[in-house]
C-alpha cells in the first residue's frame, strides 16, 4: 500500500465519547500534519510533527490530542468534542515543511 | 485574517475552453505557491507549484502564473475537460521562520460543462 491512509473514513460520535483517528504514511516522509476542513473555511493546520516531535500546535483545544509514535504513524485522540468540531480531518505528510504535502482521504467526523 | 484568498467560490466553464482560477495573498514573505485539486470524499492532491523566482510554470494542460508585485497567482487549465471538475485550493508558504507551513485559501469549485 502506498500514500497516506486514514481510518476511519467516517465517524459519528457523541459529545461524551472518546475516539481516535489514525493516519499512516508509506512515503518515507519525515513530517506529518493534521488539518481540519470546515464548510466554507480554508484548510486549517492543527498540528505539525517533524521526526516524531511536535513542532507546532496551532492553538488547538485540548480536547484534540495528537500522538506520533513514529515517523510513519500519526493519531488524533478525541474526547468531549462539541458539535462545532464536526468537520473533515485530513492527515498529510511531506519530506520537508516546504515541499508538496501528500494528503490522506480524510475522516468525516460528525459530533452529535 | 486570511492571508490566502480565493474570491470566487465557484466557476463554470465549457469543455474545451480555458479555465482560469485566481488566488491573492497578503503575506509578502510567501515565496512558494501551490495548487491542490480535491474531488468529493478524497483528500487534496498536489497539482502544480511555483517558486517566487519564476513567474510561470507549466505542466501539460496546467499553467500557473505568479505576479509578485500584485501578490496574485492564477491557474490556467486548457483545454478544460470534464474530469477537471473539482475544488481547487491555492496554498502558500515561506522559507523564513514562522511561515514554513502551508496556508490555504477557501477553494474554488470548478465545474466543466460538457
Amino acid at each position: 500500500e502506498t500514500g497516506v491512509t486514514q481510518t476511519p473514513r467516517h465517524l459519528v460520535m457523541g459529545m461524551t465519547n472518546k475516539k481516535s483517528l489514525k493516519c499512516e504514511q508509506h512515503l518515507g516522509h519525515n513530517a506529518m500534519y493534521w488539518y481540519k476542513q470546515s464548510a466554507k473555511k480554508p484548510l486549517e493546520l492543527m498540528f505539525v510533527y517533524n521526526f516524531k516531535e511536535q513542532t507546532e500546535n496551532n492553538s488547538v483545544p485540548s480536547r484534540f490530542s495528537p500522538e506520533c509514535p513514529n515517523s510513519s504513524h500519526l493519531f488524533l485522540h478525541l474526547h468531549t468534542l462539541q458539535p462545532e468540531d464536526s468537520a473533515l480531518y485530513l492527515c498529510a505528510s511531506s519530506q520537508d515543511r516546504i515541499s508538496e504535502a501528500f494528503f490522506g482521504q480524510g475522516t468525516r467526523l460528525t459530533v452529535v | 485574517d486570511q492571508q490566502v484568498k480565493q474570491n470566487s467560490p465557484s466557476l463554470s466553464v465549457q469543455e474545451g475552453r480555458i479555465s482560469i482560477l485566481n488566488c491573492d495573498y497578503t503575506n509578502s514573505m510567501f515565496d512558494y505557491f501551490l495548487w491542490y485539486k480535491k474531488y468529493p470524499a478524497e483528500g487534496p492532491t498536489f497539482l502544480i507549484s511555483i517558486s517566487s523566482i519564476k513567474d510561470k510554470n507549466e505542466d501539460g494542460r496546467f499553467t500557473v502564473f505568479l505576479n509578485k508585485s500584485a501578490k496574485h497567482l492564477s491557474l490556467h487549465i486548457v483545454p478544460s475537460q470534464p474530469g477537471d471538475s473539482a475544488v481547487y485550493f491555492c496554498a502558500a508558504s515561506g522559507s523564513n521562520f514562522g511561515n514554513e507551513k502551508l496556508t490555504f485559501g477557501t477553494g474554488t469549485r470548478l465545474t466543466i460543462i460538457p
Side-chain angles (χ1 to χ4, degrees):
Chain A
E1 195 172 349
T2 59
V4 181
T5 307
Q6 288 186 244
T7 54
R9 294 292 307 278
H10 300 273
L11 178 62
V12 179
M13 60 186 287
M15 288 189 282
T16 58
N17 291 160
K18 288 185 182 181
K19 296 285 184 184
S20 295
L21 310 185
K22 180 183 174 184
C23 177
E24 186 173 359
Q25 60 100 357
H26 306 271
L27 300 167
H29 289 165
N30 54 29
M32 295 187 77
Y33 315 85
W34 279 116
Y35 279 88
K36 175 183 177 182
Q37 187 185 13
S38 305
K40 298 181 182 177
K41 285 180 142 183
L43 276 161
E44 300 170 58
L45 181 65
M46 299 174 73
F47 301 104
V48 179
Y49 278 82
N50 269 294
F51 294 103
K52 305 188 300 174
E53 299 298 320
Q54 186 181 129
T55 57
E56 188 155 347
N57 175 338
N58 216 24
S59 303
V60 181
S62 59
R63 56 186 185 269
F64 295 92
S65 173
E67 179 191 359
C68 189
N70 56 61
S71 57
S72 298
H73 293 85
L74 186 64
F75 295 90
L76 188 62
H77 303 299
L78 316 170
H79 62 99
T80 59
L81 294 192
Q82 305 297 312
E84 58 265 28
D85 296 321
S86 298
L88 180 68
Y89 289 84
L90 289 158
C91 172
S93 71
S94 70
Q95 185 54 36
D96 61 63
R97 298 185 70 188
I98 302 175
S99 66
E100 301 88 4
F102 287 77
F103 284 83
Q105 293 177 300
T107 296
R108 174 69 62 185
L109 174 68
T110 304
V111 181
V112 297
Chain B
D1 185 37
Q2 219 168 303
Q3 297 186 70
V4 177
K5 299 178 186 178
Q6 293 177 257
N7 291 317
S8 298
S10 63
L11 175 68
S12 294
V13 174
Q14 204 75 33
E15 181 179 358
R17 299 286 190 102
I18 183 170
S19 296
I20 300 176
L21 297 108
N22 293 302
C23 178
D24 296 292
Y25 61 96
T26 58
N27 188 338
S28 58
M29 302 307 291
F30 286 150
D31 58 12
Y32 191 63
F33 306 89
L34 308 90
W35 285 94
Y36 281 83
K37 176 180 178 179
K38 184 181 182 303
Y39 292 119
E42 292 185 17
T45 55
F46 168 73
L47 196 56
I48 193 169
S49 64
I50 188 168
S51 83
S52 59
I53 61 173
K54 292 185 170 184
D55 53 19
K56 176 182 174 181
N57 188 25
E58 195 171 348
D59 183 4
R61 296 186 298 113
F62 303 91
T63 303
V64 55
F65 294 93
L66 176 62
N67 182 333
K68 289 185 288 292
S69 60
K71 294 192 178 68
H72 176 84
L73 64 154
S74 60
L75 174 68
H76 292 212
I77 307 173
V78 56
S80 300
Q81 298 174 354
D84 296 330
S85 296
V87 177
Y88 289 79
F89 292 96
C90 170
S93 70
S95 48
N96 62 312
F97 180 77
N99 285 303
E100 306 95 326
K101 63 179 186 286
L102 286 175
T103 300
F104 284 84
T106 50
T108 296
R109 180 176 300 279
L110 175 65
T111 302
I112 305 302
I113 304 162

